[in-house]
Amino acid sequence: AQSVTQLGSHVSVSEGALVLLRCNYSSSVPPYLFWYVQYPNQGLQLLLKYTSAATLVKGINGFEAEFKKSETSFHLTKPSAHMSDAAEYFCAVSARDDKIIFGKGTRLHILP
Amino acid sequence: NAGVMQNPRHLVRRRGQEARLRCSPMKGHSHVYWYRQLPEEGLKFMVYLQKENIIDESGMPKERFSAEFPKEGPSILRIQQVVRGDSAAYFCASSPGQLFGNTIYFGEGSWLTVV
């Protein structure tokens, strides 16, 4: 069965600093991996998606993630945090039956 | 191209009443998913439906919860005899079809409060 673990339910970074949100997955088959972002009282928006075409995936709003099979990781990064990046971020893995399994989320706080 | 539409956005029910949450998928999408979100618990998969067919309901509570996606009209998540523990945000998502790795697109959510 597929699963996702997000390390750190809350992460705080200063404005302009590097953002690193960690995600490790477990999958018995080559996975599809996703990062979604959720702003308060809204639905989830797709940030980026790994489909095995390239290990470094670029998404919207300057975010990117790198798939590392040896580490079973798919960490999300952004070189310079902006106040508008404050939100909750979810890593997800797609199972072969097309069900998408989500992690518990990481709330990103941006310090001025 | 309209996105996934959910209504109502906010719903208040007294214990014992019924709650009905509706979801219209994106145009051209034939698959609908329902997720429940509780604080600090992330999104929990509930059910995955195709038109007139439940594909996977492994995340649905055994009692009081049901879902349908009729040939015509929106998908409905129905909660009978609601209890306080049902208070949560319920998200619907849709995808174009049953392909491994399909992106799913979310609606804005329906917040259920049971008083």
Side-chain angles (χ1 to χ4, degrees), chain A residues 29-76:
Chain A
V29 299
Y32 281 75
L33 295 160
F34 307 79
W35 276 98
Y36 282 83
V37 60
Q38 184 182 32
Y39 297 100
N41 299 318
Q42 294 186 24
L44 279 73
Q45 301 173 32
L46 180 68
L47 269 181
L48 50 83
K49 174 182 176 180
Y50 167 73
T51 61
S52 77
T55 57
L56 183 63
V57 183
K58 294 188 182 299
I60 61 172
N61 301 339
F63 284 93
E64 61 183 36
E66 186 173 9
F67 173 72
K68 292 187 176 181
K69 184 178 179 180
S70 61
E71 299 177 7
T72 60
S73 68
F74 190 57
H75 302 330
L76 182 70

Side-chain angles (χ1 to χ4, degrees), chain A residues 4-18:
Chain A
V4 169
T5 302
Q6 292 185 241
L7 298 175
S9 57
H10 293 265
V11 170
S12 295
V13 301
S14 298
E15 191 174 17
L18 172 72

Side-chain angles (χ1 to χ4, degrees), chain B residues 60-112:
Chain B
M60 287 281 270
K62 297 291 183 231
E63 298 176 348
R64 302 189 297 108
F65 285 72
S66 62
E68 63 176 7
F69 189 16
K71 186 176 180 180
E72 301 291 337
S75 174
I76 306 282
L77 179 67
R78 182 183 179 202
I79 311 172
Q80 295 178 288
Q81 299 174 337
V82 296
V83 300
R84 288 230 170 96
D86 297 331
S87 296
Y90 293 84
F91 288 94
C92 173
S94 72
S95 72
Q98 195 171 8
L99 288 176
F100 178 39
N102 249 334
T103 300
I104 64 173
Y105 298 87
F106 281 84
E108 296 285 287
S110 291
W111 271 259
L112 172 65

Side-chain angles (χ1 to χ4, degrees), chain A residues 78-109:
Chain A
K78 181 174 180 177
S80 176
H82 191 272
M83 295 300 289
S84 61
D85 295 327
E88 189 150 22
Y89 292 80
F90 292 91
C91 183
V93 61
S94 179
R96 186 165 286 285
D97 59 4
D98 207 34
K99 187 167 62 184
I100 295 184
I101 306 299
F102 285 84
K104 292 190 174 184
T106 297
R107 187 168 296 277
L108 177 63
H109 305 270

